[in-house]
Amino acid sequence: MWIADNWKDYEVIDTSKGEKLERWGKYVLLRPDPQVIWDTERKHPLYKKLNGHYHRSSKGGGEWEFFDLPAEWSINYGSLKFNLKPFSFKHTGLFPEQAVNWDWFSSIIKKAKAEKPDREIKVLNLFAYTGGATCAAAKAGAQVTHVDASKGMVAWAKENAVSSGLADAPIRWLVDDCVKFVEREIRRGNKYDAIIMDPPSYGRGPKGETWKIEESVFPLINICADILKEEPLFFLINSYTTGLQPAVLTYMLNTVLVNRFGGKVESDEIGLKVSSNGLVLPCGASGRYTG
């Protein structure tokens, strides 16, 4: 398992009864987590000092209950700074476990830039959400094209870039359907050194386009291969869908990318350490291709 263990401003403190107790900077949140199926005793004192608690409804969805939590606050990861706020369906605007992937591809970008300082490294970030990966890639020295179907998420990502000192970085911000954008890039003949994608299990595009990951992700990987340069640096795909195990990600990336470009693929679960007991909370899976 790849573990995001370089955080200072975030930690999973404990897990029990379908929820995780977390510290985001100086604020403590209690949120649902589908992986936490155990019912252990809640001994940690911070259960009684919550700043926010997301209560899941038996009918689906849920709502926040706040105890002295600001509308917005920020946390740092190295030289990156992210603006957080509690919003729909338990989220805060950041997936901390992805830091292990930010570190991975940042090292690849930095190595390529060190070997050829004048090289332009073009990275495409699809389903780019609030821009964690975009900021990490730009900070490492890449030119990034950030694509998400939500105008609000793209605006939030821009705020994170400004907070991270990347206001003038070479980032293109696009509100678009990811599949249609890639199809247009093929027609335009545009090519990228690397692609990052963090597809949702289910979603809709800006014009109501339906996305179901089990049906749509393999065709998307296929067409993405057509906009990669002949010697790609890397390709990263994340999955939070339990049906897409690491072996499935490996199979797809091997079938499409290794057969075409060579290189290698590694896939594994990603996770976060639980500080109170040393266990690791699984947080989905990632597939990594390197050329």
Side-chain angles (χ1 to χ4, degrees):
M1 182 183 286
W2 295 318
I3 301 171
D5 55 3
N6 289 325
W7 279 100
K8 301 284 192 300
D9 279 2
Y10 173 84
E11 66 176 311
V12 179
I13 302 165
D14 193 30
T15 56
S16 174
K17 301 178 183 178
E19 296 177 312
K20 56 188 173 186
L21 182 69
E22 308 164 290
R23 178 182 62 82
W24 296 79
K26 63 180 181 179
Y27 300 106
V28 177
L29 303 182
L30 186 61
R31 300 189 299 153
D33 191 296
Q35 297 292 333
V36 182
I37 61 173
W38 44 90
D39 184 0
T40 51
E41 187 177 354
R42 294 183 169 183
K43 297 180 179 179
H44 202 283
L46 287 178
Y47 277 110
K48 298 179 181 179
K49 297 181 179 181
L50 300 179
N51 296 103
H53 187 185
Y54 188 89
H55 298 276
R56 198 160 201 168
S57 169
S58 58
K59 299 177 182 178
E63 62 181 2
W64 281 97
E65 181 182 12
F66 299 121
F67 315 95
D68 193 27
L69 182 71
E72 292 190 33
W73 74 103
S74 63
I75 62 173
N76 295 294
Y77 184 75
S79 59
L80 301 175
K81 185 174 184 179
F82 301 109
N83 303 306
L84 307 175
K85 51 191 171 188
F87 74 113
S88 61
F89 193 60
K90 79 180 181 180
H91 295 303
T92 63
L94 193 69
F95 293 100
E97 65 274 8
Q98 285 300 324
V100 72
N101 285 323
W102 304 341
D103 292 344
W104 169 72
F105 65 68
S106 292
S107 67
I108 295 174
I109 294 168
K110 289 175 182 177
K111 181 181 177 182
K113 291 290 285 186
E115 291 173 354
K116 293 183 180 179
D118 295 333
R119 178 179 177 178
E120 292 183 349
I121 297 173
K122 295 184 177 181
V123 175
L124 173 61
N125 187 11
L126 299 171
F127 309 98
Y129 195 51
T130 59
T134 293
C135 292
K139 186 72 76 169
Q143 299 179 13
V144 186
T145 298
H146 174 112
V147 185
D148 196 279
S150 168
K151 185 178 181 180
M153 291 301 105
V154 174
W156 194 339
K158 288 181 181 179
E159 293 173 6
N160 284 333
V162 171
S163 295
S164 296
L166 296 164
D168 298 321
I171 303 172
R172 282 200 302 160
W173 305 101
L174 300 173
V175 179
D176 205 343
D177 176 80
C178 290
V179 175
K180 291 184 177 179
F181 174 78
V182 172
E183 291 171 342
R184 287 196 300 274
E185 289 292 83
I186 293 172
R187 294 194 294 270
R188 289 186 285 239
N190 290 333
K191 300 282 186 177
Y192 295 86
D193 296 282
I195 295 176
I196 299 164
M197 64 167 70
D198 203 347
S201 299
Y202 179 85
R204 290 191 180 276
K207 296 182 180 178
E209 302 91 343
T210 300
W211 167 275
K212 294 182 180 178
I213 193 169
E214 296 87 350
E215 300 172 2
S216 305
V217 70
F218 185 69
L220 178 56
I221 294 171
N222 255 319
I223 63 172
C224 280
D226 290 335
I227 60 171
L228 282 171
K229 295 182 180 179
E230 284 305 309
E231 295 183 1
L233 276 181
F234 66 86
F235 191 112
L236 171 67
I237 179 171
N238 296 305
S239 170
Y240 298 95
T241 303
T242 54
L244 297 187
Q245 300 295 332
V248 176
L249 301 179
T250 294
Y251 192 88
M252 289 191 296
L253 294 178
N254 266 321
T255 301
V256 176
L257 301 180
V258 175
N259 286 345
R260 179 165 176 172
F261 301 107
K264 65 177 183 178
V265 174
E266 295 179 292
S267 299
D268 207 339
E269 290 182 278
I270 57 175
L272 293 160
K273 283 185 178 179
V274 182
S275 61
S276 64
N277 55 27
L279 298 178
V280 177
L281 178 65
C283 304
S286 294
R288 298 172 175 178
Y289 165 85
T290 48

